[in-house]
DNA sequence: TAATAATAGTCAACATTAGTCAAACAAAAG
DNA sequence: CTTTTGTTTGACTAATGTTGACTATTATTA
């Protein structure tokens, strides 16, 4: 029996709720209070246990009536393809290689033609119009990775 | 589940009315009274939830018989609005305003849900992960404009 | 026309949330 | 026992919402 630290207990508590409903909406301070931890511990639990790789999406809002919402999503079958594509992107990618990635997605029917063109518009050299090539390639990489992470699940 | 703060509730109330008619005309003090808030809170709701990015135009008049009128605008009816959207983006846009624009595109059926989420993934704060806020907002602006220009020719 | 009443707008202070980051501490691995 | 990895904590930051004093505009009345 593992899971004695408080982060594990909070994780278990939240996942128990998520067993019944698709999402939970909590107040950070309330939960922190409930388990007698500092509020920022809740952020730690989110970052380490409710990641997209595990099939969770976390959204939040600050200010009055603020919240943290955890949503459980269905991971798709081609997660393997996505992982390997992310691996090849790394921290920087040229427009040419970016095009290849998008074409790969299209060929694997992860996206349709319209969606592929949308992505290409987003990572286009002219669109990014960065100060230098390194910055351009770096942002292109981040955008592609963000999109790929999104494609892991159905929304 | 959501909508704990009073601004959200007022927003919902007004949008419910706007679901049936193209516009609403309210008295600021009446609405403030109805929801037990100070009148200026209504201005706050207008400024944060009924912007042109959200697809609304707000007009008002002071003095006796004064009013605030909210009008829903339709992207498809008016090609110029895409231009004005690009204009409001300018060189920099926050995640919040970016979300408003994408939601607007979706509401006006310029993009479908999947495409909207794809765009949101591309302009997400975490995706961009820029060194500073200015850089983040700048790239978000370029990406959105690139996509909007693409959509203009596509459809 | 001038004064007054009846509206709405602006702005800054304050309130209420959540996020970040790094240091201290603890547990696990080597 | 030492090193590495994971956890806990709290000070500081950021975002969002609420309030009220003061201002601006328009209509009505004297």
């Amino acid at each position: 029996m593992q899971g004695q630290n408080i982060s594990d207990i909070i994780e278990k508590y939240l996942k128990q709720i998520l067993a019944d409903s698709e999402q939970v909406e909590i107040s950070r301070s309330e939960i922190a209070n409930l388990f007698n931890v500092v509020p920022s511990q809740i952020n730690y639990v989110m970052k380490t246990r409710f990641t997209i790789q595990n099939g969770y999406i976390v959204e939040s809002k600050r200010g009055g009536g603020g919240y943290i919402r955890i949503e459980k999503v269905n991971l798709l079958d081609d997660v393997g393809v996505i992982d390997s594509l992310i691996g090849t992107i790394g921290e920087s990618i040229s427009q040419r290689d970016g095009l290849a990635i998008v074409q790969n997605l299209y060929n694997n029917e992860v996206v349709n033609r319209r969606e592929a063109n949308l992505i290409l518009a987003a990572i286009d050299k002219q669109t990014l119009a960065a100060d230098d090539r390194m910055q351009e390639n770096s942002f292109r990489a981040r955008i592609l990775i963000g999109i790929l992470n999104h494609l892991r699940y159905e929304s």
Side-chain angles (χ1 to χ4, degrees), chain A:
Chain A
M1 170 127 139
Q2 56 185 336
Q4 284 317 297
N5 71 56
I6 191 68
S7 289
D8 287 338
I9 294 170
I10 295 170
E11 172 191 11
K12 208 181 286 179
Y13 171 80
L14 292 172
K15 289 193 172 166
Q16 196 147 25
I17 298 176
L18 284 164
D20 295 329
S21 53
E22 280 302 301
Q23 58 170 46
V24 224
E25 200 171 296
I26 62 170
S27 142
R28 188 178 75 148
S29 55
E30 255 181 37
I31 297 293
N33 228 53
L34 183 59
F35 291 96
N36 256 293
V37 297
V38 295
S40 60
Q41 174 119 27
I42 308 306
N43 297 90
Y44 177 73
V45 173
M46 293 302 132
K47 266 201 192 155
T48 54
R49 285 136 165 102
F50 291 90
T51 65
I52 183 58
Q53 282 82 6
N54 287 314
Y56 297 95
I57 290 176
V58 178
E59 289 172 314
S60 64
K61 198 169 118 180
R62 308 185 193 186
Y67 58 81
I68 296 179
R69 181 168 49 223
I70 310 171
E71 192 185 346
K72 201 163 73 174
V73 294
N74 291 323
L75 291 177
L76 299 184
D77 298 335
D78 13 17
V79 174
V81 177
I82 287 170
D83 277 330
S84 81
L85 286 179
I86 288 178
T88 67
I89 293 172
E91 297 194 339
S92 177
I93 189 171
S94 68
Q95 172 151 26
R96 181 199 175 105
D97 290 344
L99 173 61
I101 297 265
V102 176
Q103 255 165 358
N104 194 326
L105 288 174
Y106 176 69
N107 291 336
N108 279 288
E109 294 179 334
V110 179
V111 299
N112 62 32
R113 178 174 293 278
R114 218 179 109 93
E115 289 156 2
N117 282 323
L118 208 61
I119 298 171
L120 289 178
I123 63 169
D124 186 81
K125 176 188 173 64
Q126 244 193 321
T127 293
L128 296 180
D131 291 339
D132 57 67
R133 185 61 49 86
M134 252 183 55
Q135 196 184 44
E136 175 196 322
N137 289 348
S138 166
F139 271 94
R140 182 178 293 111
R142 294 180 216 170
I143 295 165
L144 271 177
I145 289 173
I147 286 174
L148 284 168
N149 274 323
H150 172 75
L151 290 171
R152 289 173 183 277
Y153 58 90
E154 38 179 292
S155 46

